Amino acid sequence: MQWTSLLALIAAAPYAHALLRFPCSQLVTQRLDPLVTPGVISPHVHQIIGGNAFNFTMDPSITFETAATCTTCRFKEDKSNYWTAVLYFKHSNGSYMRVPQMANQFVGSPNGGMTVYYIQPPNNQKVTAFAKGFRMIIGDPMLRSRTLQSGSAESNALTFRCFSENFGNNTAAPGGGADTVTLPKGACRGGIRTNIYFPSCWDGKNLDVPDHHSHVAFPQGNVQPGGLFFNPGSCPSTHPVRLPLILYETVWDTRQFLNMWPTDGSQPLVYSMGDPTGYGQHGDYLFGWEGDSLQRAMDTCTDQGGQPESCRALTVQSDSQINACKQQPRIDEVVEGTYLRELPGCNPVQQGPGTATMINDPACTAGPGASQPAPGPTTTAAPQPTPTTTVVTPVPSAPQGPTVPKYGQCGGTGYTGSTTCAAGSTCQKLNDWYSQCV
């Protein structure tokens, strides 16, 4: 679905929402999880975005919005940290390759990372920004099966979308349409997007709790057919404070593995905690916006377009600025960029349906012996193009046609539409399959 089409759907919905939608490029990929395992190496790998003050403990007494010197997010004021588990491709020879992330639709040219939404409640309900020190998680990495009630928030909170070429099969709001609660069964020729919604009702008292999630809850009532994006429910009396609804979208670039995909119907993708089902998908959030900047944005940025440039209460950073914000891994081990003999942390693949077992192998702590490259696959794969952000003038495969609006598609393998961008934007090649007016 084109973003303009989704906006039309939002505007026509009986419960329209204002929102912020923005990219955050990759900060670092490593085995840290300061919410669940503070001060020690995490059992599995996470990919992290946001402020560069991210560390082993994330001590609540530290003011991270001032400790961070940069952020990978589009808004300069957002020094929060957002993280999820990492997806790996398991080759037929038993080795593992980290699946890279790619830019989502209509967000510019971030270096991997995620797209983050802050969605306001419908009908001008009051929304309260998160308080300093707030943090929460959604999901359970040990799950390998779930019993879900149709129409419940939990059944819509953690989902997957299987893209066909050029972001095809994008026919509904995140979590709606044909999205699944498990990893897609077949090969997705345009990649896989994960959708992670967090609860948006707070008890008004606790910034965090030992389980990191019981201080928040989803709004009441059955979820509308469009998913949590359009949920009009009110907050329960136990959690009366309405927060922005946070959504993560991560696009995993599985295209480079298509010529190695199993032909026996098996599913070769596995999360870093050894989950081949997708039921263990989870996300972590740690608030770090400067001062009252998020509250100001929630109060004044009330359009339904979500474009960062339309929110004048905040400072918009360029692609080069967010891509320049990096952090060196704190753990001395190889977790990406080459085939690995085992998942970092020595996590075995656990199919379930029972709850997975936490692995605590002393041989899998930090150090050069933790996760080392494996011999490359014996299957010869065709070379994959390296994504670039070079400004190009694509050779049209059809007549120029009408002008493409900013953030619209303007080229790519198999694309037959217009290649002329609207004034003020140019056609940038993100990869062989997709070029975008930015």
Side-chain angles (χ1 to χ4, degrees):
M1 175 182 287
Q2 297 292 322
W3 181 242
T4 51
S5 300
L6 179 57
L7 291 182
L9 179 62
I10 293 171
Y15 303 100
H17 298 244
L19 56 97
L20 299 177
R21 179 183 187 263
F22 56 92
C24 298
S25 64
Q26 208 72 55
L27 177 69
V28 65
T29 302
Q30 60 185 352
R31 269 201 299 143
L32 286 189
D33 188 345
L35 292 195
V36 179
T37 55
V40 298
I41 298 170
S42 171
H44 58 268
V45 175
H46 294 93
Q47 57 93 13
I48 301 112
I49 62 172
N52 69 343
F54 185 83
N55 61 52
F56 265 95
T57 61
M58 299 303 280
D59 187 331
S61 66
I62 296 174
T63 305
F64 294 103
E65 57 268 35
T66 56
T69 59
C70 67
T71 178
T72 72
C73 295
R74 184 68 81 201
F75 294 120
K76 186 177 182 180
E77 293 84 354
D78 184 12
K79 305 302 198 305
S80 306
N81 285 114
Y82 315 79
W83 63 98
T84 74
V86 169
L87 204 58
Y88 285 84
F89 174 84
K90 186 177 182 180
H91 192 271
S92 59
N93 70 1
S95 60
Y96 299 87
M97 172 66 84
R98 188 244 210 260
V99 180
Q101 290 145 252
M102 67 183 194
N104 204 352
Q105 282 185 297
F106 318 120
V107 294
S109 302
N111 177 26
M114 297 190 282
T115 304
V116 177
Y117 293 67
Y118 283 75
I119 305 168
Q120 300 186 40
N123 301 334
N124 297 314
Q125 292 182 41
K126 175 178 172 55
V127 61
T128 301
F130 304 95
K132 179 182 178 296
F134 184 90
R135 47 198 67 192
M136 62 179 169
I137 64 174
I138 180 70
D140 181 346
M142 296 294 102
L143 289 182
R144 298 296 182 268
S145 63
R146 296 181 71 186
T147 301
L148 297 169
Q149 179 182 350
S150 178
S152 69
E154 289 75 13
S155 67
N156 288 264
L158 303 167
T159 58
F160 300 85
R161 178 160 298 178
C162 182
F163 286 130
S164 56
E165 291 88 347
N166 297 320
F167 291 99
N169 193 36
N170 201 17
T171 56
D179 289 358
T180 59
V181 296
T182 58
L183 283 163
K185 301 301 182 185
C188 299
R189 305 199 67 81
I192 296 172
R193 192 184 72 201
T194 55
N195 313 302
I196 299 179
Y197 287 96
F198 285 79
S200 56
C201 298
W202 178 40
D203 65 12
K205 303 172 184 177
N206 297 292
L207 299 175
D208 193 14
V209 289
D211 65 10
H212 309 295
H213 65 79
S214 58
H215 59 319
V216 289
F218 285 104
Q220 302 177 99
N222 286 339
V223 175
Q224 301 296 308
L228 282 168
F229 206 103
F230 301 110
N231 188 8
S234 59
C235 286
S237 59
T238 55
H239 297 77
V241 181
R242 190 63 179 255
L243 302 169
L245 173 62
I246 291 182
L247 164 64
Y248 299 171
E249 290 181 335
T250 309
V251 184
W252 302 96
D253 192 359
T254 57
R255 296 170 300 181
Q256 63 186 271
F257 304 107
L258 293 177
N259 60 350
M260 295 180 280
W261 210 266
T263 58
D264 61 0
S266 60
Q267 199 286 106
L269 300 176
V270 58
Y271 267 115
S272 51
M273 59 280 191
D275 175 21
T277 68
Y279 285 117
Q281 182 180 190
H282 58 284
D284 298 58
Y285 173 72
L286 192 149
F287 174 78
W289 286 75
E290 295 177 359
D292 66 347
S293 57
L294 181 58
Q295 187 66 62
R296 285 188 286 108
M298 293 292 98
D299 291 344
T300 62
C301 300
T302 55
D303 69 278
Q304 296 166 22
Q307 294 291 351
E309 294 80 6
S310 69
C311 184
R312 301 193 177 187
L314 300 173
T315 307
V316 176
Q317 298 193 108
S318 66
D319 287 336
S320 61
Q321 287 174 307
I322 66 175
N323 290 337
C325 187
K326 297 288 185 184
Q327 186 183 84
Q328 289 299 312
R330 311 289 179 96
I331 313 300
D332 182 17
E333 64 177 345
V334 180
V335 300
E336 58 186 345
T338 187
Y339 280 90
L340 304 173
R341 298 180 186 275
E342 57 199 355
L343 291 173
C346 301
N347 288 288
V349 177
Q350 300 183 65
Q351 296 278 354
T355 302
T357 303
M358 183 74 73
I359 302 301
N360 184 16
D361 187 343
C364 288
T365 55
S371 298
Q372 289 299 300
T378 55
T379 301
T380 301
Q384 297 297 315
T386 301
T388 67
T389 54
T390 306
V391 177
V392 298
T393 303
V395 177
S397 52
Q400 290 278 319
T403 299
V404 179
K406 190 173 183 180
Y407 302 117
Q409 184 176 2
C410 56
T413 301
Y415 176 73
T416 59
S418 174
T419 58
T420 304
C421 292
S425 61
T426 56
C427 192
Q428 290 191 6
K429 178 181 177 182
L430 304 184
N431 50 56
D432 274 12
W433 293 270
Y434 195 79
S435 297
Q436 184 181 44
C437 293
V438 291

